[in-house]
Amino acid sequence: MYKAMSASNARLILTPVLVCSFLWVAIIVVGQPAVQTAVRVYRGSVGESHFQMRLSIQGNNVSGAYSYDSIGEDIKLTGHLDDQGKLELAEFGEKGKQTGKFVCKRLNDAEPDCMWSKPDGTREAYVTLEEQHIGFTNGLQVVPKTIANRKSGVRVSYPQLTSDTSPLSPGAASFNRRVLALIQKAIKEFEPGPEPAKNSFETNYNILLANDGLISVEMTEYSDSGGAHPNTGFWSLTYDLSANKELGLDDLFKPGSDYKTAIATYVVADINKRAIAIEDADAKSEGR
């Protein structure tokens, strides 16, 4: 026979049920691991325009901004990174209207295979993109500076150290002067051809390592004087910020060690590894 339950008994039963339900929900919420946010900085170029990009990656969601070195204004980015490493980003102008998009097939690979285009896919352009390895904890930042001369075809980007929290150390200031001196030397050595419209000299940079005591930079050069083929080259600068000293290979290895042979062996193996990876990717895309 059904017997009515008193209000006081109902409260006695309902209270532990609510408490248990609350604890169960709390366990579910607290037990879930927090999604970590990774912040990455990239250097790259779209056509002949160099840029710097900063992305915040939280799970598959991506947000950030990029700016062209020659302009310096941030362009907002939002997008998605799938589990296979494909990155899709939409860029937005000042009024919130989409102005373009980036697509990288393999963001985490040595060759990410990126393209930029208008939102409808037109005006497609190849994009270079390389992650920068920056780990300052003392307020230092790496910012791009530019030198441009339309008459001679010079378009140069180079790194400089700045700080918003304190004056630059002697080592950081010396690094800035050394980079600028090397860039000016490279520009001076460029010999334009007789047809100004065909002349081009460009540099861009990658930060291979940057921490409170050391910075290592790779500079890339592209030059064309209107000849049969353009020239591409690389040079680097590694600077001990604490000791205020430029480092050479002899400073990095023990005296008497045969480091040149070891480096050559590593370089050849790395070239072969990259060539195989590119061939495998091409074969996969072509169904071979």
Side-chain angles (χ1 to χ4, degrees):
M1 182 178 67
Y2 175 76
K3 186 176 180 180
M5 183 181 297
S6 67
S8 59
N9 288 337
R11 284 195 295 269
L12 289 174
I13 295 173
L14 185 59
T15 298
V17 170
L18 289 174
V19 171
C20 290
S21 298
F22 174 77
L23 289 174
W24 178 246
V25 172
I27 289 170
I28 292 175
V29 173
V30 174
Q32 290 179 343
V35 178
Q36 299 295 319
T37 300
V39 178
R40 301 181 187 177
V41 177
Y42 294 88
R43 290 287 304 169
S45 62
V46 178
E48 298 176 348
S49 300
H50 305 145
F51 66 80
Q52 187 149 304
M53 180 183 290
R54 185 180 182 89
L55 297 179
S56 295
I57 303 174
Q58 188 174 34
N60 296 116
N61 298 318
V62 183
S63 61
Y66 81 107
S67 62
Y68 291 102
D69 295 351
S70 58
I71 300 174
E73 296 179 359
D74 279 350
I75 302 172
K76 181 182 177 182
L77 296 168
T78 61
H80 180 267
L81 177 66
D82 71 17
D83 295 336
Q84 286 70 47
K86 183 178 180 180
L87 175 68
E88 296 181 339
L89 294 172
E91 68 170 52
F92 298 89
E94 294 181 356
K95 298 181 179 180
K97 181 179 179 181
Q98 186 178 353
T99 54
K101 63 180 181 180
F102 289 87
V103 176
C104 297
K105 294 182 180 179
R106 301 175 298 274
L107 179 64
N108 299 320
D109 288 5
E111 301 290 339
D113 194 3
C114 301
M115 301 295 291
W116 178 94
S117 70
K118 302 294 284 184
D120 61 2
T122 60
R123 294 182 61 185
E124 198 172 47
Y126 181 73
V127 175
T128 65
L129 197 67
E130 188 158 343
E131 186 174 359
Q132 308 297 284
H133 302 281
I134 302 173
F136 292 125
T137 63
N138 57 2
L140 280 178
Q141 301 176 38
V142 182
V143 299
K145 297 293 183 179
T146 62
I147 299 174
N149 186 320
R150 290 186 178 182
K151 185 177 181 180
S152 60
V154 170
R155 290 184 299 273
V156 166
S157 291
Y158 62 98
Q160 293 284 269
L161 294 174
T162 65
S163 175
D164 294 332
T165 59
S166 60
L168 288 181
S169 67
S174 295
F175 167 81
N176 285 348
R177 289 192 294 269
R178 180 59 175 154
V179 171
L180 179 57
L182 291 171
I183 286 293
Q184 291 173 332
K185 179 176 180 290
I187 294 173
K188 186 177 180 180
E189 291 175 348
F190 172 60
E191 298 180 358
E195 300 180 56
K198 294 184 178 181
N199 293 323
S200 178
F201 180 80
E202 303 175 22
T203 70
N204 202 358
Y205 66 88
N206 287 307
I207 304 299
L208 305 181
L209 173 68
N211 56 40
D212 295 348
L214 189 74
I215 183 167
S216 185
V217 179
E218 176 191 64
M219 300 296 303
T220 61
E221 283 187 11
Y222 172 90
S223 62
D224 189 349
S225 300
H229 303 286
N231 297 313
T232 302
F234 301 86
W235 52 273
S236 62
L237 172 64
T238 300
Y239 207 91
D240 187 331
L241 300 173
S242 300
N244 193 5
K245 175 187 176 183
E246 182 176 350
L247 300 179
L249 287 176
D250 290 339
D251 298 306
L252 305 178
F253 297 93
K254 293 181 179 179
S257 62
D258 187 15
Y259 64 81
K260 292 182 179 179
T261 299
I263 291 174
T265 300
Y266 175 85
V267 168
V268 170
D270 187 62
I271 290 173
N272 290 335
K273 180 181 177 181
R274 288 171 182 257
I276 292 172
I278 293 172
E279 175 61 27
D280 289 345
D282 290 343
K284 185 177 179 180
S285 65
E286 296 170 4
R288 291 188 276 118

